[in-house]
Amino acid sequence: MGRFWLGATGVFMAGLLFTGAVDNEFYFFSGYVILQGLIMATAWNILGGFTGYVNFGSAGFFAVGAYISVALHQALALPLPFLILASGMVCGLMGLATGYLTLRLKGIYFAISTLAMAIVLETVITNWEYVGGASGAYILTPKDSLFFASYVELLFMVMLIIAIAAVAFARYLSTSRTGKGLTAIRDDELAAECMGVPTLRLKLVSATAMGVFMGMAGAPFPFFITFVDPLSAFSLFIAVNAIAMPLIGGTKVWYGPVIGALILGLTQEITTVTISSELNLLIVGVVLIGFITLAPGGIVGLVQDFSRKRLRSKAAPSAGGDR
Amino acid sequence: MFSGELFFNAIVSGLLIGGFYAAVALGLSITFGCLEIVNIAHPTFVIFGSYVTYILNVNFGLDPILAGLVFVPAFFVLGMFLYRFYYASFERAGQESLNGLAFFFGLMFTVEVLLILVYGVDYRLVSAPYIGQTWHLGYIDFPLRQTVPFVVGTAMTIGVYLFLSKTFLGRAIKAVSQDRLALQLMGADPIRVKQYAMGIAIATAAVAGSLLIILGPVEPSQGRLYIGRVFAMVVLGGMGSVSGTLIAALLIGVIESFVATFYGPSWAPAVSFGLLFITLALRPQGMFGRA
């Protein structure tokens, strides 16, 4: 408790103040995109970073979340919170299935099969006529935006709440006993199993959590862009961001993806406005490759290395050289 | 409802496409199957090959296949450099699993975006006298734009198969993943062997790229569709077995062609991915692989 929740409350209040004080909708559109990246990065990291199972199918979970939301909106006209919960549940089940997949598929085979899963899902949704199929579906923005000035401000706050929930859960996972088990699986699954770590149960927990938050990140998406088609929902860019953000921030701690998402997200929003959206994609790719090759620990790893070096040089100022 | 004409045309068309698929999967069969390098960017190199073919064809009127062959040495050197970089950054440190994978993912994305930046998202195509012609044998069609890639793709695959099984370097490439130490005792440097192998793998992408753009118009993001296909073929064919990859490629070509003919083309992409999924989950060593 304590500092984290104080900080979370502070962020939430700041968000509320922001919606009250700022009128320009552009900031909320940008904020929404950054928060969407943050949620997906955090979700990806629970399975990819903590547990060591690389998932290339993030966009698949995201898109299923978005389409569940479209389908339920068309069929029952449920309000947004229910859509988010339903998407979270469906994608959580998908995540659970992915978790069982890890029984047979390790390492690269798991990664490739998640890539395959995303394409299969895309094909299924392209052929699902009820939600628009290949030609896409239009969603009318609801008139009622509670006490916010516009609907995008409401969506922004919704994403902020999901983001806080996702980060809080990731933090809880990584600091608890479960998190230690996940780290053990990442480092050596066989050894962990031999030491009595319940590997299957932990992998299922982490895969399900990944699915839940990916789905929740996708559920408000149709209302945000008002027109969804398979191309926009399954965009490679969304999948790349979900992987690039944790890798740039640092995958071993819960705040790594948050740092990566904020830095990369802000950079993207700024380059999209000032230069061009294609160049912004190029920057993501180059920065991602740069970090993977030069600083595999991400920003968090860089900072840790730096402070460790300083400590060492302080501890032995007269000895000189190493140790 | 059963139509023999439709049925046999679906088989022939599937086999023709399958021969081309083999050319795309060939490089990955070497990198992934023999070197254990998960180059998910391989299809992107094929697209890159299509674009260099396009440039030579449009500017100098060079035949597409000749254009692909012209770029084989350049792609070979590119592949060698890529391996050197990969080795220095990941393999030496034992970091290849997660970081190597993410590296190729980033590479795939970056090359794709670069192509979009330079050429846009428009479809590009080449011209050659044989594109657009069709031979007929009874009621079976042999469109040359599929037949030429089939012939060249199959020939290249058989050529690489012979190279791998008959020459010293070829055998060394096959050996490097099995027993590194034994290879060293035979007087071969594993790093150099892998470097040549990666060069050959990327060089095949230049030819496969020229075949791809003969087959139909190309745009930068097309490579992604091939990721599942090529991995399906390599895994199904039994990791690193070139002959197995060829058979798997022909098989997937035929199944896809059937699905496209009888259920509609929009379901075709799911075939190879579904097949890959099932293979990975049920028989990871592939159809012809060693257990």
Side-chain angles (χ1 to χ4, degrees):
Chain A
M1 280 316 246
R3 277 211 327 230
F4 176 78
W5 287 106
L6 218 63
T9 321
V11 169
F12 180 74
M13 297 310 282
L16 269 185
L17 267 178
F18 190 50
T19 56
V22 178
D23 281 335
N24 191 342
E25 285 195 355
F26 165 75
Y27 292 106
F28 297 102
F29 278 105
S30 296
Y32 180 95
V33 173
I34 295 175
L35 285 174
Q36 176 184 303
L38 199 157
I39 300 167
M40 293 187 66
T42 304
W44 184 88
N45 201 46
I46 291 175
L47 188 64
F50 295 166
T51 325
Y53 277 87
V54 178
N55 172 14
F56 284 127
S58 318
F61 286 92
F62 174 85
V64 168
Y67 270 99
I68 292 293
S69 171
V70 171
L72 286 180
H73 177 73
Q74 280 184 359
L76 307 165
L78 288 179
L80 188 59
F82 289 99
L83 298 180
I84 294 174
L85 282 181
S87 296
M89 265 158 59
V90 172
C91 292
L93 285 177
M94 266 170 56
L96 188 69
T98 317
Y100 275 111
L101 210 62
T102 62
L103 273 178
R104 292 204 70 113
L105 303 174
K106 316 264 179 228
I108 46 176
Y109 292 99
F110 177 80
I112 297 165
S113 59
T114 55
L115 202 66
M117 191 183 63
I119 299 275
V120 171
L121 287 174
E122 185 172 351
T123 313
V124 170
I125 285 185
T126 308
N127 287 288
W128 189 11
E129 287 303 326
Y130 183 69
V131 290
S135 48
Y138 285 97
I139 300 290
L140 289 176
T141 312
K143 287 273 178 290
D144 181 25
S145 51
L146 294 178
F147 47 87
F148 295 104
S150 67
Y151 199 72
V152 71
E153 291 188 15
L154 172 74
L155 285 178
F156 172 77
M157 284 312 288
V158 166
M159 287 307 255
L160 191 62
I161 294 170
I162 303 176
I164 291 175
V167 172
F169 187 78
R171 175 178 170 274
Y172 161 74
L173 259 193
S174 69
T175 50
S176 69
R177 204 178 142 78
T178 313
K180 294 204 174 68
L182 295 179
T183 310
I185 294 174
R186 179 187 64 206
D187 291 342
D188 192 333
E189 191 168 335
L190 193 63
E193 179 75 48
C194 293
M195 294 303 286
V197 176
T199 52
L200 177 63
R201 208 173 70 210
L202 294 186
K203 285 190 294 186
L204 292 182
V205 167
S206 100
T208 310
M210 181 273 298
V212 167
F213 288 116
M214 289 275 180
M216 285 187 164
F221 187 65
F223 298 96
F224 177 68
I225 57 167
T226 66
F227 170 72
V228 247
D229 63 344
L231 270 182
S232 62
F234 283 95
S235 134
L236 178 69
F237 184 54
I238 292 176
V240 169
N241 257 349
I243 297 172
M245 286 169 173
L247 284 173
I248 288 170
T251 52
K252 300 204 166 152
V253 286
W254 61 268
Y255 49 84
V258 178
I259 294 173
L262 290 180
I263 291 179
L264 196 60
L266 276 174
T267 320
Q268 283 169 356
E269 289 305 313
I270 292 167
T271 43
T272 307
V273 176
T274 52
I275 312 173
S276 79
S277 55
E278 272 83 22
L279 201 70
N280 141 36
L281 299 182
L282 188 64
I283 290 173
V284 181
V286 172
V287 171
L288 175 62
I289 293 179
F291 263 96
I292 297 165
T293 33
L294 302 174
I299 293 171
V300 173
L302 279 181
V303 172
Q304 280 172 349
D305 281 355
F306 182 70
S307 56
R308 209 171 288 149
K309 259 182 211 146
R310 256 200 8 204
L311 267 180
R312 200 176 288 161
S313 59
K314 256 187 205 157
S318 53
D322 299 354
R323 274 179 223 210
Chain B
M1 276 304 282
F2 183 81
S3 148
E5 189 177 342
L6 215 57
F7 180 81
F8 286 110
N9 269 314
I11 287 190
V12 168
S13 155
L15 286 175
L16 293 181
I17 298 277
F20 156 71
Y21 282 171
V24 182
L26 180 59
L28 195 76
S29 178
I30 298 172
T31 39
F32 184 44
C34 300
L35 312 182
E36 286 166 357
I37 297 173
V38 199
N39 184 6
I40 52 175
H42 189 77
T44 313
F45 284 107
V46 173
I47 302 288
F48 189 47
S50 292
Y51 272 85
V52 298
T53 304
Y54 164 77
I55 294 165
L56 284 193
N57 180 266
V58 168
N59 293 332
F60 304 103
L62 212 59
D63 179 82
I65 292 181
L66 213 59
L69 288 174
V70 165
F71 266 90
V72 161
F75 271 59
F76 181 74
V77 174
L78 178 72
M80 292 207 300
F81 272 111
L82 190 64
Y83 177 70
R84 279 288 170 183
F85 185 79
Y86 177 82
Y87 172 74
S89 310
F90 307 108
E91 212 169 60
R92 197 169 48 187
Q95 298 256 306
E96 62 260 41
S97 58
L98 199 161
N99 287 340
L101 201 60
F103 166 72
F104 283 114
F105 190 68
L107 192 66
M108 167 186 105
F109 184 67
T110 310
V111 173
E112 188 179 318
V113 172
L114 270 177
L115 286 176
I116 292 177
L117 270 175
V118 180
Y119 293 101
V121 288
D122 309 329
Y123 280 92
R124 304 282 167 174
L125 50 116
V126 290
S127 50
Y130 44 85
I131 295 177
Q133 288 184 35
T134 303
W135 288 347
H136 301 281
L137 198 76
Y139 53 68
I140 296 174
D141 297 337
F142 287 90
L144 285 194
R145 69 163 14 157
Q146 290 180 357
T147 313
V148 171
F150 169 80
V151 172
V152 177
T154 319
M156 180 167 75
T157 312
I158 293 172
V160 169
Y161 171 76
L162 290 176
F163 170 77
L164 284 182
S165 47
K166 301 282 183 227
T167 62
F168 180 79
L169 180 61
R171 287 184 196 176
I173 289 173
K174 280 170 111 173
V176 76
S177 69
Q178 289 173 11
D179 197 336
R180 205 188 138 112
L181 186 67
L183 185 71
Q184 272 172 314
L185 293 176
M186 293 290 124
D189 174 9
I191 308 299
R192 187 168 296 172
V193 169
K194 285 187 174 185
Q195 176 186 327
Y196 289 136
M198 188 91 171
I200 294 168
I202 301 297
T204 64
V207 177
S210 72
L211 302 181
L212 176 67
I213 203 164
I214 291 174
L215 204 64
V218 170
E219 55 97 24
S221 71
Q222 233 169 21
R224 262 180 271 152
L225 272 181
Y226 282 88
I227 297 175
R229 274 192 195 126
V230 291
F231 273 98
M233 291 161 204
V234 172
V235 174
L236 212 62
M239 302 292 289
S241 153
V242 172
S243 50
T245 304
L246 178 61
I247 295 172
L250 295 174
L251 192 71
I252 286 181
V254 171
I255 298 178
E256 269 190 8
S257 164
F258 265 86
V259 171
T261 311
F262 295 105
Y263 292 94
S266 60
W267 283 103
V271 170
S272 50
F273 284 93
L275 217 56
L276 171 66
F277 215 53
I278 296 168
T279 318
L280 283 178
L282 298 181
R283 197 178 154 80
Q285 69 270 34
M287 291 187 298
F288 316 103
R290 298 175 297 266

